[in-house]
Amino acid sequence: MSTIRDVAKSAQVSVATVSRVINKSGYVHPDTVKKVMNVIEELNYKPSSIAVSLNNKKTKTIGLILPDIRNPFFPELSKGIEDLAKESGYTVILCNSDGNIEDELKHIKILEQKYVDGIILASNTLEYSHIQEYSKPIVLLDRTIKEQVSSVSSQNFLGAQLATKHLLEIGCKRIAHICGPKDVMTAKQRLEGYMDIIGNEDWFSNQLIENGDYNIKPAYQATMNLFDKNPDIDGIFAGNDLMAVGCLKALHKLGKSVPEDVALIGFDGIDFTEITIPELSTIAQPIYEMGYVAMKMLIDQMESEQVQKENKLLDVKLVVRDSTKRKGVFTDE
Ligand code: RIB
């Protein structure tokens, strides 16, 4: 007996397209509809009545795909999603992808087979071509792809400018940046914000930038590398708080006092920043609100056919703590 995959393969389209043709849900080019219908007839494919009814019915579940559930940023983000989901009668199916495109494509297929009513995708590997065939509502979180896909992210570029300016204001003369993975949009935007402020300084060199991969241990090593090449660094902007924690440990190992020898600021505003010694200054993202707003956007799309796609950019905030409070230097927070 032919399956939906046989039809998709023979018609050279995705399973999602065949599903959309069968269920008359979402746009499919008329030529494609005709091609798929011909193949369905040729193969004598009989869609399962359960599948057809399920696809048209609401299962009141949504899929959430995250790149790294070990990073405290993402559980906080998920809390905002989960709280509104609970209030609105939805169940959340959490998928962790380790930022791996194969896993993300697999998760989307599995979520389709579970007939979730929509997906929130907080990832950086999938491109528009990977998700445009997905027939249900999708909201991107922490990044944007195209205006056609709704998204919620925060002011990464502006926040990086704030962090770098803050280090200049407290008197830093040689500021380094520990950046996140080069293919992650938020890391790129924060690097651009840092470069916008100090890229034209006569003391700037690319040796003042090291990749910390958004994690503690790589950031520890990145800090060691920075001081191997630039012993006179006196300020560091880490592109997220986990890297700032790794950096802090390396500075301690190097015998550098914080903030007197080296001032340090992170990005995210996770709770860890309040338990390190010294407590870490950071650029706080509205993490919970980002998740909550993304879930609200998805519910609007799932529960009403015609909803205007929107790309929301939420504000970030400079939080000054001991890691940048130098004696005798006072700045506005
Ligand atoms: O700490 C994880 C980082 O990945 C956060 O800064 C968040 O913006 C995501 O891009």
Side-chain angles (χ1 to χ4, degrees), residues 293-306:
V293 167
M295 185 63 200
K296 175 79 179 62
M297 255 189 208
L298 188 66
I299 290 173
D300 290 348
Q301 287 185 36
M302 293 186 295
E303 297 184 354
S304 42
E305 285 306 309
Q306 294 309 325

Side-chain angles (χ1 to χ4, degrees), residues 67-68 71-74 77 122 124 141-143 153-154 156 180-181 184-187 190 213-215 239-243 267-270 283 285 287 290:
D68 179 5
N71 182 323
F73 173 87
F74 293 104
L77 199 65
N124 278 268
L141 185 47
D142 192 43
R143 69 167 300 201
S153 50
S154 70
N156 293 294
V184 173
M185 176 173 276
T186 54
R190 293 168 201 171
D213 205 29
Y214 270 165
N215 238 317
N240 79 347
D241 291 335
L242 283 189
M243 295 195 296
F267 200 113
D268 280 347
I270 60 173
I283 299 295
Q285 297 194 69
I287 306 172
M290 285 168 74

Side-chain angles (χ1 to χ4, degrees), residues 173-329:
K173 299 277 182 285
R174 187 74 91 252
I175 300 172
H177 177 52
I178 301 177
C179 62
K182 62 182 179 354
D183 54 346
V184 173
M185 176 173 276
T186 54
K188 277 189 276 198
Q189 292 169 342
R190 293 168 201 171
L191 173 57
E192 287 160 5
Y194 161 80
M195 289 296 290
D196 181 70
I197 300 298
I198 55 97
N200 295 324
E201 296 291 341
D202 54 6
W203 48 263
F204 175 72
S205 112
N206 282 328
Q207 287 197 343
L208 288 169
I209 299 169
E210 281 283 336
N211 184 341
D213 205 29
Y214 270 165
N215 238 317
I216 296 176
K217 286 189 179 156
Y220 175 94
Q221 189 51 53
T223 307
M224 294 301 189
N225 299 345
L226 281 170
F227 279 90
D228 280 347
K229 294 179 269 187
N230 317 272
D232 51 355
I233 288 170
D234 62 355
I236 298 178
F237 162 40
N240 79 347
D241 291 335
L242 283 189
M243 295 195 296
V245 170
C247 178
L248 192 60
K249 182 163 169 95
L251 292 172
H252 180 72
K253 183 85 175 166
L254 292 165
K256 302 281 183 186
S257 69
V258 178
E260 289 71 23
D261 294 338
V262 182
L264 172 60
I265 185 167
F267 200 113
D268 280 347
I270 60 173
D271 294 345
F272 266 141
T273 51
E274 296 180 85
I275 52 178
T276 54
I277 298 174
E279 289 189 12
L280 281 167
S281 297
T282 187
I283 299 295
Q285 297 194 69
I287 306 172
Y288 179 92
E289 185 192 354
M290 285 168 74
Y292 198 93
V293 167
M295 185 63 200
K296 175 79 179 62
M297 255 189 208
L298 188 66
I299 290 173
D300 290 348
Q301 287 185 36
M302 293 186 295
E303 297 184 354
S304 42
E305 285 306 309
Q306 294 309 325
V307 172
Q308 193 60 34
K309 298 286 189 285
E310 54 180 328
N311 303 106
K312 278 186 186 248
L313 203 51
L314 304 186
D315 293 337
V316 294
K317 189 162 72 84
L318 168 64
V319 177
V320 180
R321 297 199 183 99
D322 293 346
S323 69
T324 60
K325 276 184 184 162
R326 284 182 164 171
K327 291 185 181 59
V329 178

Side-chain angles (χ1 to χ4, degrees), residues 79-90:
K79 187 78 175 71
I81 295 165
E82 172 62 30
D83 284 353
L84 182 55
K86 216 180 294 174
E87 270 173 48
S88 314
Y90 284 89

